[in-house]
Amino acid sequence: PGTTRARTGADSHTHHQGAPSIGCGRAAGGMGRLFLRYIEAESVHCCALCATHLAAHDQVVSRQFRGRHGDAWLFGDVINVNDGPPEKRLLLTGLHVVADIYCNGCDTRLGWKYVEAYEEQQKYKEGKFILEMNRILKERDLRKREAEAAGGGEARHRLAALEDEEMLTDGGEGTDDEAGQDSDPQATRRAAQTALQAMHGAASEQWAAAERPGG
């Protein structure tokens, strides 16, 4: 199982009622400063909006659930969330008492916590958490997305610079650069456009793969 370590996050507050769930602490002095905990595990699920750590992959109990927005997974333990008020809710598997859970990092509603199950065969869910798949991503997928976004930004900057350079040349013909080597702005511009399109295609494929349920 993954271990966790605490780190003080940015000042924030929450308007949700109910005691914070495991993983949410308050700094001394009651100033509302949150401690965000970080999971040290091979595979970690994070908030898709702010990248706050939520659960180690080995905490997955079941992938056969549905949330408000599609597929959802049941986790044994989730950190860095706070609970809304408990309420009775009629779900597909019967009547339960649940509390919506919100990310401590950005206040996004991520799913819910099972507080009580009325049917005996559903008791195993008590104290466990639902995380909706369109609200979370694995940490490695988030890092890939960030890297691709950064790479796409560099390509766009390079393309813009080349377009500015073209405007200064006589009809886009080859000119000599400072090193005294021949350069072809038109060919370089086409290469930059091709690289940018490839990055966009890779980013789209990554997003599609991240949204599909899987191990």
Side-chain angles (χ1 to χ4, degrees):
T3 58
T4 60
R5 52 188 172 86
R7 177 179 175 183
T8 304
D11 288 338
S12 61
H13 66 278
T14 177
H15 61 274
H16 309 299
Q17 302 176 25
S21 62
I22 184 170
C24 173
R26 298 284 178 182
M31 299 301 291
R33 193 168 176 80
L34 289 173
F35 291 104
L36 294 180
R37 294 168 60 189
Y38 292 77
I39 300 169
E40 296 177 349
E42 183 177 349
S43 182
V44 179
H45 295 272
C46 305
C47 174
L49 184 61
C50 71
T52 294
H53 281 198
L54 299 173
H57 186 69
D58 59 18
Q59 289 296 318
V60 175
V61 176
S62 174
R63 303 172 188 171
Q64 306 300 317
F65 281 79
R66 295 285 295 178
R68 290 184 179 90
H69 308 286
D71 293 335
W73 288 3
L74 181 69
F75 287 79
D77 189 22
V78 172
I79 67 170
N80 294 325
V81 294
N82 60 88
D83 305 345
E87 60 181 36
K88 290 183 179 180
R89 196 174 296 170
L90 184 61
L91 305 174
L92 294 176
T93 52
L95 185 64
H96 296 75
V97 176
V98 301
D100 287 334
I101 57 174
Y102 300 82
C103 175
N104 282 347
C106 64
D107 210 35
T108 296
R109 183 167 62 185
L110 300 169
W112 63 83
K113 176 183 179 180
Y114 287 102
V115 179
E116 183 180 359
Y118 288 95
E119 298 182 16
E120 189 63 32
Q121 63 269 33
Q122 303 300 323
K123 290 286 186 181
Y124 77 96
K125 293 186 289 189
E126 291 181 349
K128 295 181 176 63
F129 302 81
I130 285 291
L131 292 179
E132 302 209 39
M133 297 309 295
N134 71 341
R135 295 289 190 266
I136 65 174
L137 280 176
K138 287 185 178 179
E139 185 174 38
R140 64 172 179 262
D141 294 332
L142 282 168
R143 297 294 172 261
K144 289 179 182 177
R145 185 177 74 178
E146 291 170 357
E148 287 164 357
E154 291 173 2
R156 284 190 291 272
H157 178 74
R158 182 184 176 196
L159 183 58
L162 289 169
E163 288 174 344
D164 290 341
E165 180 182 339
E166 266 190 13
M167 293 176 65
L168 299 176
T169 63
D170 183 14
E173 295 177 357
T175 59
D176 291 339
D177 58 17
E178 292 180 354
Q181 297 176 347
D182 291 338
S183 63
D184 184 349
Q186 290 284 0
T188 308
R189 181 174 181 271
R190 287 194 296 270
Q193 288 176 324
T194 300
L196 185 59
Q197 291 170 355
M199 287 178 183
H200 286 168
S204 299
E205 292 176 2
Q206 182 62 42
W207 269 108
E211 292 174 355
R212 289 196 299 269

